Each structure stands twice: as structure tokens, then as C-alpha cells.
Amino acid sequence: MSVLPYPLLSASLLLMWMTLNSFSIGHFVLGSIIALFASWAMAALRPHRPRIRRWHLLPQLLGIVLYDIIRSNIAVVSIILTGRTTRRKSDFLTIHLDLKDTTALAILAVILTATPGSAWLEYNSVDGTLLMHVLDLVDDDAWTDLVKNRYEKLLMEIFE
Amino acid sequence: MNHAAELPLWAAIAVAAFLVMGAALALIGAIGFFRLATFYERLHAPTLGTSWGTGGVVMASMIFFTMIGGRPVIHEILIGIFISITTPVTLMLLARAALYRDRAENDPLVPPSVASSNFPPADESKS
């Protein structure tokens, strides 16, 4: 067992500790000790260790996601307030995902859920089938294209 | 808040705008619960509150306390991060419970489980 089994986790914990308290030397030391023990506790659980291969694409992903969340917030607000029930069709959608990395899949689930108007329902890890529900499903292909090309492609570049 | 008078005008406007936006999104999400027809549609309503609803209130809080304290106060962003990470867990649990119930009742609108190995092609779920 190495001294620092999960460097990213430890760094995030230290950063969180110092954001919650203050950026001082005392809290740096205290936070480091806590982060160190927490990462040892984590090592005992032996979770799958995520491997981020292309760090520089993360800001791009974050930007795309924040923009899409704003866009879909506006879309869902207009659906709820105008009460469009005649033209709107909400339906289930199955998508085949090529993404296999569990961390990347978790991030994709967070993205799809955080974006109002789409919800991740079920995923079959054997054949990579995802069942999702879309509030305003105008075009199946457009949604498949959005998930496959806008998110999955970028996530695959980052994690695989 | 007796400190509120110390805020410069632009900050007061920004704080108010973010606060009203966040609160409005949470309210509209609640209205969505009432107006949307099916369980699966209603799943989408609270995500308004957990995405930019929370985001707006968090931004307002960060601007307000940064301006009042005279030093960057950003720990509210952790609330936003943890809400974003934990929402899918609850949402998936609720959704899968609903799917399980509807499949048990043989609801024709609900697609068959993708968890079984011989699931039908995607287009069969509609019609």
C-alpha cells in the first residue's frame, strides 16, 4: 500500500477542508492529516481507481455542461409555465453507449440528470444499453446525437 | 441583515437577481410537480431546483458574503457540487422503483427492462 493511494481524493479533501475553514498553515496541516487518513480508509475499500488521461478537456466539458443546463432549464421552465401538452411528446429513449469506464458513466449520469428535461433511468453494463426519459422528445436522433457526440465522445477522450 | 446597506449597487442587483432566479426556478419546479401528467414527466421538475435553482441561490450567497466580508467566501460552491452529485442517486432509485411497479402491472407504455440480455430493439418501446 502506497502512502498516498488516492492523490486526487486527498487533494480534493484538503481543498474542501481549507475552503470550509480558512487558507492558513494550521488548517493546511490539519487538512492534510485528515485527507491522508481518509484516503487510507478509502484504500481499505479498494474502489476502482479513476484514471483521467486528458486533463485539459475537463474545462471544455464543464463549459458545455453548464451551458446545456442553462439552455434546458429555460426549455423546461417554458414547458411547465405554458403547459404545452398537445405538441409535446415525452417518451423513453434507448441509447447504446460505447463508454465503459465506470467513473465516466457516473459523470454522464450526473450530466443527464442535472440537465432538466432528461433523466437517466436504467443502464445495462453487459451490452451498454441506457434507458433514459426525455420530457420533450421532438426528435429521437437529435437526442441520441446529443448524448453520443456531445458528451460521450468527450468523456471517452478524457477517461479512455 | 443590517450589513446590506454596505453593499455597492451592482452587487446588490446581482445578488437580488440570482436570488430571485434561484427561488423562481425552485417554485416553477414545484409547479411542475402539480402540472405534469405522468410520474416520469414529474421526475424532470425537481431538477430545475437542483441545477440552477441551487446554483442561483449559491451564487447570490457567494457574492453577498464576499462583498460583506471583504474576502472571498466560496464554500457555498460545495453545496452545489454535492447536490449535483447526489441528485442522480435519488432520482434513479425513484425512477427504477416506478419502472418496476409499472412493469409488474404490465403497463404498455413502459419499455421492457434493458437489464435482461434479450431486450427488444429500441423502436419497439414506442407505438
Side-chain angles (χ1 to χ4, degrees):
Chain A
M1 193 172 84
S2 64
V3 183
L4 209 59
Y6 294 93
L8 192 59
L9 174 77
S10 306
S12 316
L13 275 173
L14 177 60
L15 193 66
M16 187 178 113
W17 182 266
M18 286 172 63
T19 332
L20 281 172
N21 294 287
S22 69
F23 284 87
S24 64
I25 296 173
H27 277 299
F28 179 79
V29 174
L30 193 56
S32 303
I33 295 168
I34 288 167
L36 202 60
F37 276 98
S39 66
W40 289 343
M42 190 74 169
L45 297 171
R46 296 173 202 274
H48 163 76
R49 188 184 305 196
R51 200 166 275 115
I52 300 175
R53 300 196 190 278
R54 290 186 185 84
W55 283 93
H56 62 277
L57 289 173
L58 279 178
Q60 191 192 339
L61 180 71
L62 191 70
I64 287 178
V65 169
L66 285 179
Y67 172 73
D68 284 358
I69 290 177
I70 294 174
R71 216 180 43 175
S72 63
N73 260 293
I74 295 167
V76 173
V77 163
S78 74
I79 286 173
I80 291 175
L81 290 185
T82 58
R84 274 172 34 215
T85 44
T86 44
R87 286 186 292 130
R88 186 172 55 82
K89 185 180 86 149
S90 72
D91 209 344
F92 297 93
L93 180 67
T94 33
I95 294 178
H96 178 77
L97 294 178
D98 297 310
L99 200 62
K100 288 285 172 223
D101 187 275
T102 46
T103 314
L105 283 167
I107 293 177
L108 184 62
V110 170
I111 294 173
L112 288 180
T113 311
T115 320
S118 61
W120 172 296
L121 299 184
E122 267 187 328
Y123 172 69
N124 178 359
S125 56
V126 177
D127 55 11
T129 315
L130 163 70
L131 177 69
M132 57 186 283
H133 189 266
V134 180
L135 184 59
D136 192 8
L137 192 67
V138 182
D139 181 5
D140 283 26
D141 294 334
W143 268 96
T144 311
D145 181 65
L146 179 85
V147 174
K148 295 289 289 182
N149 293 327
R150 201 167 161 88
Y151 305 134
E152 192 192 15
K153 216 161 126 189
L154 202 55
L155 280 168
M156 280 175 95
E157 272 186 63
I158 295 172
F159 285 97
E160 288 177 356
Chain B
M1 288 286 170
N2 49 356
H3 298 296
E6 296 164 21
L7 272 186
L9 183 66
W10 67 266
I13 291 173
V15 168
F18 275 118
L19 212 52
V20 169
M21 185 193 81
L25 281 171
L27 176 67
I28 292 166
I31 295 170
F33 264 135
F34 179 68
R35 293 194 68 160
L36 295 173
T38 70
F39 180 86
Y40 302 101
E41 286 182 1
R42 284 194 291 274
L43 270 182
H44 300 287
T47 53
L48 285 176
T50 59
S51 57
W52 271 99
T54 312
V57 177
V58 162
M59 284 292 285
S61 170
M62 288 199 292
I63 296 171
F64 182 83
F65 286 103
T66 299
M67 295 307 292
I68 292 297
R71 64 186 181 88
V73 179
I74 53 160
H75 61 252
E76 290 93 334
I77 204 153
L78 294 170
I79 300 173
I81 292 172
F82 284 120
I83 285 185
S84 306
I85 294 175
T86 49
T87 306
V89 180
T90 328
L91 198 138
M92 268 183 241
L93 272 174
L94 286 171
R96 296 189 65 174
L99 282 173
Y100 184 82
R101 177 198 64 193
D102 289 346
R103 281 172 188 150
E105 290 174 352
N106 292 319
D107 190 326
L109 295 173
V110 175
S113 175
V114 296
S116 61
S117 54
N118 53 346
F119 87 104
D123 288 321
E124 261 189 43
S125 61
K126 304 175 194 68
S127 70

